[in-house]
Amino acid sequence: MKTDTIVLGAGIVGTSIALNLAMRGRSVVLVDRRGPGEETSYGNAGLVERASIYPVAFPRRISALADVALGRNPAAHYHWNALPGLVPWLFAYWRASAPARILDYARTIETLLAHSLAEHERLAGASGAGHFFREGGWLKLYRTEAGLENERSEFPLARQYGLSAREIGVDEALAMEPSLRPVFRGAVIWSDPHSVSSPGGVTQAYAAHFAALGGHVRRGDARTLARLGSGWSVTTEEGGVEAPEVVVALGPWAMDVLRPFGLRLPLQVKRGYHMHYHAADGAALSRPVLDEEGGYVITPMVGGIRLTTGVEFARRDAPKTPVQLDRTETLARQLFPLAARAEPEPWMGSRPAFPDMLPVIGAAPGQNGMWLAIGHQHLGFTLGPITGRLLAEMMDGETPCTDPAPFSPHRFG
């Protein structure tokens, strides 16, 4: 089969790229080993995080580092045997988390975040996925005054970008979410983000609209990608596919495909877990709730109340070690009346991340006709649609909606 473009990876990023290209009239084949939205894009907290101008940064204080090293921080876990291979990446991550560089990050990521809600709304409207979306922002809870004070420090920059953050007391937080228990001393409501009841369902709806426009979704192994003259080919269950251009949007598996072509990018993964629970005694949530010092988010999903964990540094394919889920479940039960687990096993996924915490969006160095859209770390679901628009504009030679230079793979040399 011959087509204009092959897109490798049917998560929210790859699906959004394929859909944007199809809406511009291109013939596109979307290839993944599984169905759309069944891997990393399935397992997140479902936030379109418009207000995430501050990244999930590497701890800078000695006390915070000690908490991670000694296992006292429920938001972080690591495998000893993975650390030697991660040292250069972690050092670069630590450097990128310096206060001055965090401000640079905020200015850069805001150029994408500013489009995140509108681009999701555009694709959701066209795809009939609007019923998954809800307004109301998200609620951050703090168990200590120190945690609240740290959150307050983000308000001035947030307001500079027109974002709405408001500190509220325990009583007002309980009025918003009556099923919570008052185990916290204060809260902040961030009003700008939206959330969804099924990130996998949203991705599948976008993929269905892509197919309705004439796009093809095929199962296949992206590692079969090969040069074919001046173009590219990949093998699928329905046969080979050839195209002059290919987009690699494979998230944590991207380097499996890119290394054989000589590309060396500092992409690593941050693993995470989730579990769905039944709610006890008629309890309910209307929005995602972050227990900042507890290191978890609880959010209402079609499968129940989803509890998502923080970061685990481990080899991508190492066996599951859901110790964070066990730790945070205890804390979450203090906050919200969770009943039994709704699934026999926890879900585990890997967030693809570069040490500067920014994604790569652009042409692959030295590989004519290859484009990259990888490394969205904690913001993949948020940034999928705007990444799709931006890359489609670049591929078609249009004036891009925002400057793509900060996201170029060439920044790594």
Side-chain angles (χ1 to χ4, degrees):
M1 178 182 180
K2 296 184 184 295
T3 190
D4 294 332
T5 311
I6 299 166
V7 177
L8 302 177
I12 187 63
V13 174
T15 299
S16 296
I17 293 166
L19 178 52
N20 270 277
L21 290 171
M23 293 170 82
R24 284 169 163 75
R26 285 203 186 202
S27 62
V28 183
V29 177
L30 179 61
V31 179
D32 201 303
R33 65 182 182 182
R34 300 185 66 181
E38 293 185 5
E39 290 280 8
T40 310
S41 296
Y42 167 77
N44 56 76
L47 278 158
V48 183
E49 227 317 41
R50 169 67 184 91
S52 241
I53 53 174
Y54 280 90
V56 179
F58 196 92
R60 303 285 294 183
R61 291 182 292 107
I62 296 298
S63 59
L65 287 168
D67 286 343
V68 174
L70 298 174
R72 296 193 297 246
N73 183 345
H77 181 62
Y78 59 91
H79 290 187
W80 278 105
N81 63 1
L83 293 183
L86 283 170
V87 166
W89 188 91
L90 288 171
F91 180 65
Y93 182 21
W94 175 82
R95 290 183 62 194
S97 298
R101 295 185 67 179
I102 291 293
L103 293 176
D104 291 337
Y105 169 91
R107 283 189 289 268
T108 301
I109 202 67
E110 169 63 12
T111 65
L112 296 180
L113 291 175
H115 299 274
S116 59
L117 291 177
E119 290 305 308
H120 259 294
E121 289 171 354
R122 182 173 66 90
L123 297 190
S127 304
H131 63 284
F132 289 112
F133 287 77
R134 58 191 169 223
E135 299 181 9
W138 72 321
L139 193 61
K140 293 186 179 183
L141 308 180
Y142 294 89
R143 294 171 181 252
T144 68
E145 180 60 30
L148 266 171
E149 185 57 36
N150 185 63
E151 184 74 354
R152 291 180 191 122
S153 70
E154 298 186 9
F155 292 175
L157 187 63
R159 289 171 183 143
Q160 179 181 326
Y161 290 114
L163 301 171
S164 300
R166 184 169 63 90
E167 184 176 347
I168 60 176
V170 173
D171 289 344
E172 187 173 353
L174 295 179
M176 288 182 174
E177 297 293 346
S179 295
L180 298 180
R181 298 178 178 128
V183 297
F184 54 98
R185 64 177 301 161
V188 174
I189 179 71
W190 289 82
S191 301
D192 300 284
H194 291 188
S195 61
V196 301
S197 59
S198 175
V202 170
T203 307
Q204 290 159 14
Y206 293 177
H209 185 52
F210 163 72
L213 293 176
H216 299 271
V217 181
R218 291 195 173 181
R219 299 279 181 112
D221 187 343
R223 293 172 297 181
T224 64
L225 182 69
R227 270 287 184 191
L228 186 68
S230 61
W232 301 90
S233 69
V234 68
T235 302
T236 75
E237 292 178 358
E238 298 176 49
V241 181
E242 301 174 8
E245 293 188 294
V246 63
V247 178
V248 177
L250 288 162
W253 299 278
M255 296 312 299
D256 294 357
V257 169
L258 298 179
R259 284 192 195 97
F261 294 98
L263 291 168
R264 298 288 183 267
L265 297 173
L267 186 72
Q268 292 290 350
V269 302
K270 301 177 182 181
R271 304 203 313 181
Y273 299 83
H274 86 228
M275 172 60 70
H276 288 109
Y277 298 81
H278 302 291
D281 305 322
L285 284 176
S286 61
R287 58 175 61 80
V289 175
L290 167 68
D291 181 348
E292 179 72 59
E293 289 141 315
Y296 66 90
V297 174
I298 50 173
T299 186
M301 293 282 182
V302 293
I305 301 297
R306 178 180 290 184
L307 188 158
T308 61
T309 69
V311 171
E312 180 180 70
F313 289 107
R315 295 190 177 105
R316 184 191 66 192
D317 300 324
K320 292 179 182 178
T321 52
V323 295
Q324 287 171 287
L325 186 64
D326 295 335
R327 293 173 185 166
T328 56
E329 180 180 312
T330 299
L331 295 170
R333 289 186 183 281
Q334 297 171 5
L335 176 67
F336 183 87
L338 297 174
R341 291 185 172 187
E343 298 155 320
E345 290 290 330
W347 178 91
M348 184 193 78
S350 298
R351 308 172 183 99
F354 289 104
D356 63 2
M357 297 167 281
L358 296 171
V360 157
I361 306 169
Q367 297 294 331
N368 187 48
M370 177 185 280
W371 300 83
L372 307 178
I374 55 178
H376 291 73
Q377 48 124 8
H378 298 264
L379 295 174
F381 186 76
T382 295
L383 298 179
I386 179 54
T387 297
R389 175 183 170 181
L390 178 59
L391 194 66
E393 289 169 344
M394 296 170 70
M395 293 174 71
D396 278 357
E398 299 175 14
T399 300
C401 59
T402 191
D403 182 7
F407 312 106
S408 169
H410 291 277
R411 71 184 190 266
F412 297 114

